[in-house]
Amino acid sequence: MPHLCYLLLATTLLTAQQPAPRPGYLIDVAGTRSEVYILDRDWVDNPSSFRYRTDAATGDWQTATVSEVSEFGYTDGSLQYRRFTVGIDRSSEQPKLLSTAAVPQYVEATVFLELLVEGPAELYAYTEGNLRRFYYRRGTGNLQPLVSRAYRVGSVGIQRDNSFRGTLRRELSCGPPQDARLAELRYERAPLVRCFTAYNDCVGGASRTLERRTARGRLSIAPRIGVERGTIIFGEVTPFGTTLASEVTDYRPRYGLEVEYQLPFANNRWAVFAEVAQRSVRGQRTRGLDRSINFYYQAVTVPLGIRRYIDITGGSSGLFVDAVVSLDVPYKSNFTLVGSILSTEVTPSANPGFEFGLGLNLRDRYQLQLRYGLERGVTDNYRNYSTDYTTLGVVGAYRIGVL
């Protein structure tokens, strides 16, 4: 069964269609502009390539790279990238990884820079993981870096070079109010955009601020109910060193409440969630002529996981896959070994396990999921007893948006 589950997950990821493309354009290195439909990836890092096709609904996807395209963006003007060859200072901001160089150490690279403000003074951004760099230019001048970096001095000292403020005071001076704001300016996207927009307005030039259509985080709760098949294989080490195994499989209702937060990037395709649910397994097995074992297992389970939504319709419906770490906390549970003279009671203990799920998401409201729980032990506190507990459930959910 685990192999079947993995196969289903892999097949889903490989065969799922892409999100709906957005109207856009590209300009190749020869200066030819083409109207295309760009696959919306809601980029967090600056891309080095992108996918597009010439028809919104049909046609093969093509890939364009930074070596082939000088500019691309969306037709509505919300996002635009331009190609530049620039020096990138890759020094880290993490205290243990700080550079000892007092000046930026530039590495030349040809990249797509995101245009943030267009006008007499232009602002560009480059993001790669935790690395964030901003660049500017005035008119048709050359692109220049805005510098803000920390570096180590000696064994314990740390200095910060915020020379970007002096650069902007020199290059974007437009009266005392503007100069006063520059003294406290932060090296962040929103404050820099406001600074460049204010300067362009001050000098009276035509200006345009690009406001990317970004995803917002979404918080929802979902009552979940379904049926779960639980299988427990109970092993007892005999005095002769052999293991006597008994297996019970039971179908029981599973119900719970889930809280999910869809992360505010990548078009809300990634989410984290937590759930509290009830599960149980009950049954009896005969062990020889005069022995039996009674299974009575019930637990509160707390799954914590990450979820990946996969758009297959271009709308609000599609598939999703889960990777989960869950903790079962048994209560009023026992495995009773009944003999002709004596009975022994084994009490299950809390133990974490891993689960994987594959589900269908309908209209961002209704969900139906198949979730498989890998083998876990629930009697690890005993030396002479062992258990392998697996689950397979079908669960439906109704999502209620909170934020």
Side-chain angles (χ1 to χ4, degrees):
M1 182 57 69
H3 302 292
L4 175 60
C5 187
Y6 299 150
L7 179 61
L8 288 173
L9 294 178
T11 302
T12 299
L13 291 170
L14 291 172
T15 61
Q17 297 179 14
Q18 304 286 1
R22 293 181 60 180
Y25 71 94
L26 65 83
I27 300 175
D28 63 23
V29 292
T32 303
R33 178 181 173 117
S34 302
E35 303 301 319
V36 297
Y37 292 87
I38 298 173
L39 185 63
D40 181 8
R41 289 297 192 188
D42 191 21
W43 290 282
V44 176
D45 292 353
N46 289 44
S48 58
S49 64
F50 62 96
R51 302 187 70 191
Y52 72 94
R53 58 188 181 193
T54 55
D55 186 272
T58 60
D60 295 333
W61 288 104
Q62 302 180 57
T63 299
T65 67
V66 69
S67 64
E68 302 166 328
V69 173
S70 61
E71 180 178 317
F72 76 96
Y74 297 140
T75 304
D76 62 10
S78 62
L79 184 67
Q80 186 173 328
Y81 287 98
R82 293 177 180 173
R83 187 183 74 160
F84 291 94
T85 298
V86 295
I88 301 176
D89 173 31
R90 296 186 175 276
S91 56
S92 175
E93 291 288 317
Q94 299 181 35
K96 294 183 179 181
L97 301 176
L98 288 178
S99 171
T100 57
V103 296
Q105 305 298 300
Y106 292 113
V107 178
E108 189 175 272
T110 300
V111 295
F112 284 127
L113 296 182
E114 182 180 359
L115 176 63
L116 303 182
V117 179
E118 186 177 45
E122 295 182 342
L123 176 65
Y124 294 84
Y126 180 79
T127 302
E128 182 183 331
N130 293 325
L131 181 69
R132 289 172 176 80
R133 298 289 183 256
F134 295 95
Y135 297 82
Y136 80 99
R137 72 175 176 183
R138 292 181 57 188
T140 58
N142 294 327
L143 200 71
Q144 300 294 332
L146 294 172
V147 177
S148 178
R149 62 189 295 272
Y151 60 94
R152 186 171 297 282
V153 179
S155 58
V156 294
I158 296 177
Q159 295 283 349
R160 175 162 287 279
D161 176 1
N162 278 326
S163 58
F164 78 98
R165 292 172 180 160
T167 300
L168 294 180
R169 188 179 294 111
R170 181 178 65 251
E171 296 290 330
L172 303 187
S173 179
C174 190
Q178 176 77 353
D179 292 345
R181 286 193 292 267
L182 290 175
E184 301 297 326
L185 187 64
R186 300 191 307 276
Y187 195 77
E188 298 173 4
R189 183 186 185 108
L192 287 171
V193 166
R194 289 194 294 268
C195 173
F196 274 74
T197 301
Y199 172 79
N200 289 338
D201 292 342
C202 182
V203 299
S207 179
R208 179 170 68 103
T209 300
L210 283 76
E211 297 183 5
R212 184 195 290 207
R213 188 185 72 182
T214 57
R216 295 179 56 190
R218 298 178 186 174
L219 182 66
S220 63
I221 61 174
R224 292 165 58 88
I225 187 169
V227 176
E228 185 173 77
R229 187 193 74 179
T231 299
I232 297 176
I233 301 176
F234 183 90
E236 178 186 5
V237 179
T238 69
F240 305 102
T242 60
T243 300
L244 182 63
S246 300
E247 178 178 337
V248 64
T249 297
D250 191 21
Y251 292 84
R252 291 281 172 174
R254 182 190 190 278
Y255 47 89
L257 183 68
E258 179 186 273
V259 178
E260 179 196 63
Y261 181 67
Q262 289 179 262
L263 300 174
F265 58 83
N267 294 322
N268 298 126
R269 292 193 295 267
W270 291 95
V272 292
F273 64 89
E275 182 188 6
V276 177
Q278 159 76 25
R279 62 177 23 151
S280 60
V281 177
R282 300 176 190 176
Q284 184 181 53
R285 287 295 178 267
T286 301
R287 312 176 78 192
L289 296 176
D290 56 354
R291 303 185 66 196
S292 65
I293 178 170
N294 297 324
F295 294 87
Y296 192 91
Y297 179 85
Q298 57 185 10
V300 173
T301 182
V302 183
L304 304 173
I306 186 168
R307 178 168 292 153
R308 172 69 159 86
Y309 285 98
I310 304 166
D311 182 13
I312 61 172
T313 65
S316 58
S317 298
L319 302 175
F320 64 92
V321 292
D322 291 350
V324 181
V325 176
S326 65
L327 177 67
D328 275 19
V329 182
Y331 66 96
K332 297 181 181 179
S333 300
N334 58 74
F335 305 139
T336 304
L337 285 68
V338 180
S340 58
I341 301 176
L342 296 176
S343 296
T344 302
E345 189 172 282
V346 178
T347 303
S349 60
N351 211 11
F354 296 97
E355 301 178 4
F356 296 92
L358 169 63
L360 179 64
N361 182 45
L362 299 175
R363 292 164 36 192
D364 262 346
R365 181 71 64 181
Y366 307 97
Q367 293 182 341
L368 184 65
Q369 183 184 37
L370 176 70
R371 184 180 287 178
Y372 179 74
L374 303 180
E375 293 179 352
R376 75 173 82 186
V378 294
T379 55
D380 291 350
N381 51 329
Y382 291 89
R383 295 182 60 183
N384 295 328
Y385 305 108
S386 64
T387 47
D388 286 332
Y389 174 41
T390 59
T391 59
L392 179 64
V394 178
V395 183
Y398 179 76
R399 300 174 68 203
I400 304 170
V402 177
L403 293 175

